[in-house]
């Protein structure tokens, strides 16, 4: 029997009313003290913040607290080698060893990651605090780490949700998540995608790949109801992104085919006033993502943002090639029912995403010269699924960076988060009459500044790791 109370709370449902998030990146100092801490975190004894479960009842707690363990963390806690061997290879190797598959090359290469991510073997546990304000974050951190007997704090990362779920680059995010069989999800908009079987994220449950379940590391109390997370610190070049939109719009102004994207006289419909350049910038931004910046899906409203459009209830089946580019970020990440080369993979790579922006909001000002000393901005992203290899990595490698899902995208990278090189990158804007306008020179807008693969154990597993003498 499946119970939400057995799982950590941020897996199947999100803490949407907790705008402040802090990650504590920890190294086990002393095995038995760390184990006691884990056992205490399940019950909330001895001042240790209590792990928030998936069943928070009527009212979410004021603060939420969750943990993930790396492979090195499981080793440091003394997990028996017979169990360790049953974890999947990509988790055992860790994120840095998988760099090429993830597009973590060049600037994004792990050799360039700042502390604490420059010493990945020392990262054992990542604890996450969600709160309504910074005082609460500080209070929970103090209780979690009263001293350095159990853990050493290697570093922190902190983010804050902007109002309206907007993220850097100006898009509304956090709209689409898988909806799960057996889980009440009153928060989520209904859509026409099939509900995801629990095995999409939870080990020990059926997946939507016929007859296939992912291996559960044994004993069952350790592996069952656990899942994996790719935690990513993704730096966003927000000024560079806006500058690229400027350039692309200027090029389109000189291209008569752009009248198909924006019939002369329709500028105001885009919502940026009468300027044709400003409207073309938004059209490019919408095509790169597959959504207008307010969230309107292009698949439902290709010509202009529509405040009344349904945000989630759409599919790419029957959507003519001209409406939403095959290479747009959301179409690459989730082709929904649309035709793809790897037909069996439709709906099988779905991920739970829990992300929060970091760094101050950016205000676009075309008159302002680019400031080299801009503060760092980006996204602290969590990409959660039962198989890092078949979901997060396959999506990153096959779809975002190789474009293998459709011959029309193959050889190009995702325009928003892909490892683009301005010398070779391209993106096709589809035209209503058929054909495309090819944008070139896309730089890498997003670069990786750290991360780790973690196992998100069930509450029973945390208790097991904390209490059992292994
Ligand atoms: C800083 C980097 C990124 C930014 C700014 C970004 C932005 C966005 C935005 C604005 C959306 C649309 C909102 C929504 O549908 O909820 C979206 C959707 C999505 N993104 Fe990203 N993203 C980033 C990186 C990634 C990465 C690295 C992955 C996976 C490896 C990813 C996977 C997804 C998925 C699965 C969706 C939902 C698509 C759907 O189901 O229709 N994103 N992203």
């Amino acid at each position: 029997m499946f119970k939400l109370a057995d799982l950590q709370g941020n897996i199947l449902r999100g803490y949407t009313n907790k705008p402040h998030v802090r990650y504590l990146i920890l190294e086990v100092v002393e095995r038995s003290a760390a184990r006691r801490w884990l056992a205490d975190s399940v019950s909330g004894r001895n001042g240790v913040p209590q792990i928030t479960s998936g069943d928070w009842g009527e009212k979410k707690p004021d603060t939420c607290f969750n943990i993930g363990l790396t492979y090195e963390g499981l080793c440091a806690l003394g997990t028996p080698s017979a169990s360790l061997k049953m974890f999947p290879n990509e988790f055992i190797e860790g994120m840095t060893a998988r760099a090429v598959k993830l597009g973590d090359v060049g600037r994004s290469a792990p050799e360039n990651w700042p502390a604490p991510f420059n010493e990945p073997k020392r990262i054992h546990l990542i604890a996450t605090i969600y709160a309504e304000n910074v005082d609460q974050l500080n209070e929970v951190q103090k209780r979690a780490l009263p001293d350095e007997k159990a853990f050493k704090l290697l570093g922190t990362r902190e983010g804050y949700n902007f109002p309206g779920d907007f993220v850097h680059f100006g898009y509304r995010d956090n709209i689409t998540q898988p909806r799960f069989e057996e889980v009440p999800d009153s928060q989520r908009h209904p859509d026409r995608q099939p509900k995801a079987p629990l095995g999409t994220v939870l080990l020990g449950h059926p997946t939507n790949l016929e007859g296939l379940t992912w291996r559960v590391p044994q004993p069952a109390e350790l592996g069952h109801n656990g899942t994996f997370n790719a935690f990513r610190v993704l730096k966003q070049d927000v000024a560079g992104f806006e500058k690229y939109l400027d350039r692309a719009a200027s090029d389109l102004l000189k291209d008569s085919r752009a009248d198909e994207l924006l019939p002369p006289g329709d500028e105001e419909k885009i919502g940026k006033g009468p300027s044709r350049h400003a409207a073309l910038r938004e059209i490019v931004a919408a095509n790169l993502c597959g959504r207008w910046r307010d969230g309107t899906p292009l698949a439902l409203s290709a010509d202009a943002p529509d405040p009344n459009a349904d945000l989630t209830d759409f599919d790419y089946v029957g959507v003519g090639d001209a409406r939403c580019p095959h290479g747009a970020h959301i179409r690459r990440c989730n082709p929904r029912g649309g035709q793809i080369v790897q037909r069996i993979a439709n709906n099988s790579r779905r991920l739970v995403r829990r992300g929060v922006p970091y760094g101050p909001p950016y205000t676009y000002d075309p008159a302002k010269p680019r400031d080299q000393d801009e503060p760092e901005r980006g996204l602290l992203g969590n990409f959660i699924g039962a198989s890092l290899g078949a979901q997060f990595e396959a999506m990153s490698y096959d779809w975002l960076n190789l474009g293998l899902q459709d011959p029309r995208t193959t050889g190009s990278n995702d325009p928003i988060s892909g490892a683009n090189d301005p010398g070779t990158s391209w993106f096709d804007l589809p035209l209503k009459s058929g054909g495309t306008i090819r944008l070139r020179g896309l730089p890498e807008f997003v670069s990786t500044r750290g991360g780790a693969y973690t196992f998100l154990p069930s509450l029973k597993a945390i208790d097991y790791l904390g209490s059992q003498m292994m």
Side-chain angles (χ1 to χ4, degrees), residues 280-335:
L280 285 167
R281 290 177 95 255
E282 290 312 303
I283 289 173
V284 174
N287 276 270
L288 299 182
C289 183
R291 290 185 184 274
W292 296 90
R293 291 211 252 198
D294 73 349
T296 308
L298 285 186
L300 293 181
S301 178
D303 295 334
D306 175 0
N308 300 316
D310 194 296
L311 294 181
T312 49
D313 193 16
F314 64 92
D315 203 338
Y316 301 111
V317 180
V319 169
D321 287 340
R323 293 195 79 150
C324 178
H326 289 275
H329 178 67
I330 66 162
R331 191 164 185 173
R332 281 183 179 250
C333 293
N334 183 4

Side-chain angles (χ1 to χ4, degrees), residues 83 91 96 136 157 185 230 259 323 343 370 396 409 432:
S83 301
F91 173 71
T96 53
Q136 288 176 337
R157 290 293 182 273
D185 65 345
D259 289 359
R323 293 195 79 150
R343 190 74 189 138
R370 193 163 173 193
S396 305
T409 61
K432 289 203 175 81

Side-chain angles (χ1 to χ4, degrees), residues 24 250 334 397 406 425:
L24 310 177
S250 300
N334 183 4
Y397 191 58
D406 190 295
S425 58

Side-chain angles (χ1 to χ4, degrees), residues 209-223:
L209 295 167
E210 220 176 315
L212 187 147
T213 53
W214 300 111
R215 181 155 77 157
V216 182
Q218 295 299 311
E221 54 264 55
L222 172 64

